[in-house]
Amino acid sequence: MTAATQDRFGRVRLRLLEALAPLALVAATLAIHDVPAALRPPYWLDEAWVAASVRFPISDLPVVTSSTPLGWTALLRLVPGFDRLRLLPIAFLVLSVLAGYALAAVVRWPSRAHRIGAGLVTGLAVALLPAQQVRHDLKQYTADAAVALLLLVVAGLVEAGGYPRQRLALLLATASAGMLVSHTTVLVGGCVVGGLLVAALARGLRRQAVEVAVTGALMLAVFVAGYAGLDRRGNNGAMDSYWQDFFPSVGHLPGFLGDRLTDLRPYLGVPWPVLLLLAAAGVVTVARLGRPALACGAAFLLPAAVLAGLAHQYPLLDLRTSHFLLVCLTAFATLGVAGLATAAGGLLARRSRAGGAVVAAVLAAAVLGGYVWATADWLRFGGTDPALGTRSPALTEDVRDPAAYVWAHRHPGDVVLVSGSAAFGFADYWPERPGHRPDPATAVGWQPTYADPAIVVSPGRDPAAIHAGLLEATGLAAKSGPGAVVWLIRSHQSGEEKVAWKAELATLTARSTPSGPEPAVRIEAW
């Protein structure tokens, strides 16, 4: 076989590998993440009010979507089967892995083999990140990560093409669509535009800088309109109070950052100083390999997140809300590893017969193997957090089984009493469709209601509200006549609630039912 023929066959093999690499990443992601196990548990409180949105008419969506992006709750209606709604966050998780591959591929590596290798290790690192293993819950955080990486990819494409208007329009379209499913699109979009603008000005590309600025202004107009029309209604006092601990002051920032990064360490897979150093190496690698605008935009992410936290605009370094940041840091840390491996491979190849791409691939694969070993406890996450030793709320909170039990055993005249925190899960699993009413005391700003007068929702979670709800339920049952009982369904109880319920039930004739980890209680006399 001639050298030309061998070279032709080599190019064909690389093209085939390039075509199969994304499919291999999808397969690897589905092997790493136990999708059937993620789908089986019932929805716990934070998921339940998201899941409940699909039970309301689409015209109610702007109200019941609350703090969840409107596009996210709209997409849930496309998922086949109520019990399979978690397929949506898993789909965005897979998309984030593919976006990690594309992020590496948009960089100008020395060869196609280098590009494929860097893409594979970056995609696999994104899939293996422990923080990704716990993000199978029915929330938009995997969409945050996927959209953030996609915006960075499009920024790389804009830069690679010399700032063409068509690609700037693609960036605007990506950001506009992204904000429908991800609140963090505002922050990442600003960083990306800032990176493109700084790089264009540094290169003396005045026309391109003006066009980037116009794109940024249009993006800002979309963000402002989206916030004013869709997202603002999700803000309320209860939500602000919940996130208060993640809004540091300037004086407390150093200690806050150290404490939060230390708490997040188990979900990173490596010590956080190592992650930050490698991410910085990734930014340098991307800049050296012809994508300084992309590198600049990525470098802005962490400072922008800190500023948003200081300004009380977005929680800083919470495991869930900063998920996009953890994934982006991991992707760039992996690019740093790939860059170092490429540099080392070039040096070692001069002293051996092996090509630089082969040596780089071996070095990067060795580092990835170490990461797999370090994160092995998280693989096929079964619901028990290896860092804390605690079980996922989806395994400990269950309104599905109690609701099914009461539905099967309830008789005419019986009354169903639902605790305040169980109301959303009850709205999910009770066969009759719920209504809703405004409730500023809840973090989502609304509460489910029921047309059936024999369903009583406790007006709150404190002892007085628990007593009032129980009094109303037993009074209704007494009016129904002899033999009527009260069925009590509770979930997500605080310590105070448990004490209050125990005191109330001690004065009644009540017995637990065989209906899951949070069983329904049958109250027969009062």
Side-chain angles (χ1 to χ4, degrees), residues 490-506:
R490 300 167 294 175
S491 185
H492 198 82
Q493 298 177 72
S494 66
E496 183 184 38
E497 281 183 283
K498 292 177 181 178
V499 171
W501 281 115
K502 184 176 181 180
E504 293 286 349
L505 295 178

Side-chain angles (χ1 to χ4, degrees), residues 352-413:
S352 69
R353 296 182 178 180
V358 173
V359 176
V362 171
L363 293 174
V367 174
L368 182 65
Y371 191 65
V372 172
W373 178 82
T375 59
D377 290 343
W378 295 91
L379 300 181
R380 307 288 291 178
F381 179 69
T384 300
D385 189 323
L388 302 176
T390 57
R391 303 180 77 198
S392 165
L395 299 180
T396 58
E397 296 184 17
D398 179 11
V399 181
R400 180 177 61 191
D401 289 345
Y405 186 91
V406 172
W407 179 260
H409 294 85
R410 181 189 183 197
H411 294 99

